[in-house]
Amino acid sequence: MRNRFADVFYDLAKDDPRLCIVVADISPAGSIARFREEFPERFVNTGVAEQIMIGMAAGMAQRGLKPFAYTIATFALYRPFEMVRDDLCYQNLPVTVVGIGGGVTYSTLGATHHAQEDVALACAVPGLSVIAPCDPLEAEAATRWCATQEQGPVYLRLAKAGEPVLTADAPEPWEFGRLRTLRPGRDVCVLSYGAIMDMTLEVADRLAAAGRSVCVKSVHTVKPLDRAGVEAALKDFAHVVVIEECAPNGGLGMQVKAIAQETGAHCRLDAFSLADAFIHCYGSHADLLAEHGLSAERIAAALL
Amino acid sequence: MEHRVSNAFDRAAARARCRAYRRRILEISQQVSALHVAPAFSCTEITDAAYNGLMRRGADGAPLDVFLMSKGHGCMIQYVILEEMGVLERRDLDLYCKPGGRLGAHPDYGVPGIAASTGSLGHGLGIAVGQAYAERLKKTGVRIFCVLSDGELQEGSTWEAMMMAANLRLSNLVVLLDNNDFSGLERMSEAHRAFYPVLDKARAFGWEAAEVDGHDGGAIVEAVEGRAGGDRPMLVTCRTVKGKGVSYMEHVPIWHYRSPNPEEYRRALAEIEEN
């Protein structure tokens, strides 16, 4: 996702002099390095200083530029949270805050580097759009949208590099603010977003192997949530499942449950999220998700 | 000490303007129960010097440069100057902090003349750095004048911005520091002695820095226009008195956020006319 973001940003920025990138001591490699060489003034590294990264991005946007602020998700959102809230969202500026390593992607670095409640926090801030692509192709579409929109601030939650392409054959295109069907099905509808989509599709495979017809939808835009799309899923399917790499409080699962309650939905509804806990565990991304209670095997077993 | 003042800045006229601004702020203070009178009186001459001495104006009189009130609680002085300039209307000030109005106790971006939504301290300078950098990229020559409180210097974010402004060589950024020595609670130089002196810290961060009497607009204008030049941002430490011009408000923390009662209002008006 990181590399695809860099490629798309470079392609757009070479033709749009308003596009800038402000980073805090971390850089997407590849195309962004090329961008920095060709347009050194439009690449700013604030160093290990995230508050000024966001503050500067706000000031640049007010004076007509279109900045992306880019660093590890925890430091992009948590450290300068009040700058994101006041400088970007209160002032409604079209700045994209890119958080790398969303969820527990940085699986060996400890909870200081786990953006495990980032989506819930970002969703709580008025005016902040929250986009969490599930693969490089969605990252490309989302980056393109962020770079060309004027409506306001965005938190773009990416994983890191090397995620598999999952949506090449999706029957629906990526559209901001709309649920996207990745696989059609009739019995069960699974809603998911972000890098955990890989596991979600494995869950779907297991359910399919057990004879269920499984629909998988990408909720790449967590805010503004496609409420009509969620309502339709709750109405059209006997069983709706949410799988997300985010803390339970304020995440998508809780939001879908609220909509189900408000609309009197009758379907079975299950939600799987990260635990409401800090874990002291190191290993692969899958190891950490498992420590949080999330694995395809365990989820499928709970659903069958 | 006498200062050489640029021809355009008339000290007597500035004194008259500032007297009128203070009178107007006191008048508005009688419409509401709480108003940051003292923080505005502390930076009255600073803000007047920025608007009427430093900022360049286009043919239509509109400022070409940017004024950013980082100490958002000082915005009453900006409001009354914007009213005088015709950027805000009298009706806006009449509806200050009232339903249907658009002016609150802190500046709100989107209101004419307001460069940033401030109020939470330590945000304005970072935003000003971004604005100054954008103007340099666009090669407009626009300068950013940012009024900072000394209390904001205690925010770590301010020092991140100080660092980046110098790193980026933002010579189009001027900070006017309202150094009234009071934060909300107490006298800063007593409560936080290790923090001083300020001027040396700014210089150590790569800024050009000067110190002046912050109630002498001419001195402020001269310090900025007489700068050494080069590629450094500039900070002018303006020695000020919180509540300047009204004896019972000066250096008294309660006036950080209180409107005078009718008797106090009469006394304040009388003292301002004498100054």
Side-chain angles (χ1 to χ4, degrees):
Chain A
M1 286 194 211
R2 189 179 64 197
N3 296 338
R4 191 62 65 100
F5 164 79
D7 292 345
V8 175
F9 182 83
Y10 174 83
D11 279 346
L12 295 167
K14 69 178 170 21
D15 297 324
D16 183 351
R18 296 175 306 158
L19 284 171
C20 299
I21 187 158
V22 187
V23 307
D25 201 40
I26 182 173
S27 175
S31 298
I32 295 292
R34 185 156 45 124
F35 175 76
R36 186 181 194 177
E37 276 171 31
E38 291 179 30
F39 308 101
E41 289 204 310
R42 285 157 58 202
F43 178 100
V44 177
N45 175 18
T46 61
V48 189
E50 294 80 8
Q51 299 178 89
I52 183 63
M53 173 183 74
I54 301 295
M56 267 196 80
M60 291 163 74
Q62 286 175 320
R63 305 306 292 178
L65 301 179
K66 294 194 72 175
F68 279 59
Y70 181 103
T71 191
I72 293 173
T74 47
F75 313 135
L77 189 65
Y78 302 169
R79 172 65 71 97
F81 186 73
E82 199 192 39
M83 280 69 190
V84 171
R85 178 187 182 273
D86 292 3
D87 302 358
L88 302 185
C89 300
Y90 183 34
Q91 301 192 108
N92 194 34
L93 299 172
V95 172
T96 302
V97 177
V98 184
I100 290 293
V104 294
T105 309
Y106 286 122
S107 54
T108 60
L109 300 182
T112 56
H113 285 59
H114 294 167
Q116 62 192 61
E117 64 284 76
D118 59 339
V119 168
L121 269 178
C123 282
V125 183
L128 183 60
S129 296
V130 181
I131 306 178
C134 71
D135 77 342
L137 296 181
E138 285 203 345
E140 175 174 344
T143 304
R144 203 171 286 283
W145 186 84
C146 292
T148 51
Q149 63 93 21
E150 307 280 349
Q151 67 185 51
V154 182
Y155 174 59
L156 177 59
R157 185 219 222 192
L158 302 179
K160 47 182 187 179
E163 291 84 9
V165 169
L166 305 172
T167 63
D169 301 323
E172 292 178 356
W174 190 94
E175 189 182 340
F176 174 78
R178 288 286 299 276
L179 295 191
R180 180 190 190 197
T181 300
L182 301 186
R183 284 187 194 175
R186 294 181 312 276
D187 303 330
V188 184
C189 178
V190 189
L191 305 174
S192 188
Y193 62 87
I196 203 171
M197 187 65 81
D198 201 12
M199 181 191 293
T200 296
L201 292 173
E202 195 187 330
V203 170
D205 290 341
R206 286 170 183 257
L207 297 181
R212 309 287 171 85
S213 172
V214 184
C215 171
V216 177
K217 289 178 186 284
S218 169
V219 192
H220 47 78
T221 307
V222 188
K223 186 180 178 183
L225 184 60
D226 179 1
R227 188 182 165 101
V230 171
E231 284 183 19
L234 293 166
K235 185 164 164 286
D236 297 343
F237 291 86
H239 190 180
V240 172
V241 178
V242 178
I243 300 175
E244 64 181 325
E245 188 175 349
C246 179
N249 293 319
L252 178 65
M254 199 174 262
Q255 295 185 54
V256 171
K257 285 177 184 172
I259 294 171
Q261 203 279 336
E262 286 163 16
T263 58
H266 295 295
C267 63
R268 178 181 166 190
L269 178 54
D270 293 290
F272 299 88
S273 67
L274 296 177
D276 180 22
F278 290 115
I279 59 170
H280 300 267
C281 163
Y282 311 92
S284 68
H285 187 206
D287 290 334
L288 264 79
L289 290 173
E291 186 72 15
H292 268 286
L294 299 176
S295 71
E297 185 181 13
R298 207 177 302 177
I299 293 171
L303 294 175
L304 286 169
Chain B
M1 181 180 164
E2 268 303 310
H3 292 277
R4 183 179 55 80
V5 177
S6 67
N7 295 332
F9 198 82
D10 177 336
R11 271 198 169 88
R15 272 196 297 274
R17 279 196 305 271
C18 289
R19 201 178 297 128
Y21 297 150
R22 285 195 169 89
R23 204 185 298 131
R24 180 75 174 116
I25 290 170
L26 285 169
E27 186 185 12
I28 297 161
S29 78
Q30 298 306 290
Q31 304 168 12
V32 289
S33 60
L35 180 143
H36 289 109
V37 178
F41 281 11
S42 158
C43 60
T44 296
E45 283 77 14
I46 295 172
T47 309
D48 173 65
Y51 274 103
N52 294 309
L54 292 168
M55 292 163 69
R56 291 158 308 154
R57 301 201 185 188
D60 60 352
L64 299 172
D65 293 324
V66 175
F67 179 91
L68 196 161
M69 183 64 89
S70 184
K71 51 167 282 188
H73 55 290
C75 65
M76 275 313 304
I77 179 60
Q78 187 184 10
Y79 290 167
V80 300
I81 291 177
L82 290 172
E83 179 189 30
E84 183 195 46
M85 290 167 62
V87 175
L88 293 176
E89 296 169 15
R90 185 173 179 89
R91 183 173 188 280
D92 290 318
L93 281 289
D94 288 344
L95 289 175
Y96 169 76
C97 285
K98 289 178 184 161
R102 55 180 176 174
L103 302 182
H106 296 118
D108 194 357
Y109 180 62
V111 171
I114 300 302
S117 296
T118 53
S120 178
L121 299 178
H123 288 245
L125 186 56
I127 293 171
V129 167
Q131 293 184 350
Y133 189 67
E135 295 303 331
R136 197 178 76 198
L137 284 191
K138 295 189 294 176
K139 300 182 169 60
T140 58
V142 167
R143 297 188 295 177
I144 314 295
F145 292 94
C146 177
V147 172
L148 204 65
S149 67
D150 47 356
E152 286 186 279
L153 291 177
Q154 296 182 320
E155 295 279 8
S157 56
T158 296
W159 293 96
E160 291 187 12
M162 291 288 287
M163 174 190 75
M164 277 312 290
N167 282 342
L168 294 169
R169 300 185 172 87
L170 296 178
S171 57
N172 61 337
L173 174 62
V174 176
V175 166
L176 304 172
L177 179 69
D178 182 0
N179 194 23
N180 62 31
D181 200 27
F182 273 91
S183 53
L185 187 62
E186 55 196 343
R187 192 180 277 279
M188 288 181 50
S189 58
E190 289 171 1
H192 304 281
R193 286 181 304 159
F195 190 71
Y196 296 88
V198 167
L199 212 56
D200 294 347
K201 290 182 175 59
R203 288 183 180 135
F205 268 68
W207 287 55
E208 180 171 352
E211 183 167 342
V212 299
D213 172 358
H215 296 297
D216 178 354
I220 296 167
V221 171
E222 163 160 329
V224 175
E225 300 299 9
R227 63 193 298 188
D231 59 8
R232 288 177 296 170
M234 182 170 200
L235 177 139
V236 181
T237 294
C238 304
R239 288 187 310 273
T240 55
V241 174
K242 194 163 180 173
K244 173 71 176 179
V246 179
S247 58
Y248 62 83
M249 289 187 188
E250 292 186 358
H251 305 304
V252 180
I254 182 70
W255 295 100
H256 179 79
Y257 192 67
R258 203 197 124 179
S259 283
N261 65 31
E263 173 53 28
E264 290 162 342
Y265 172 59
R266 277 190 292 277
R267 274 180 60 201
L269 275 184
E271 288 192 22
I272 279 171
E273 297 311 321
E274 287 163 16
N275 280 330

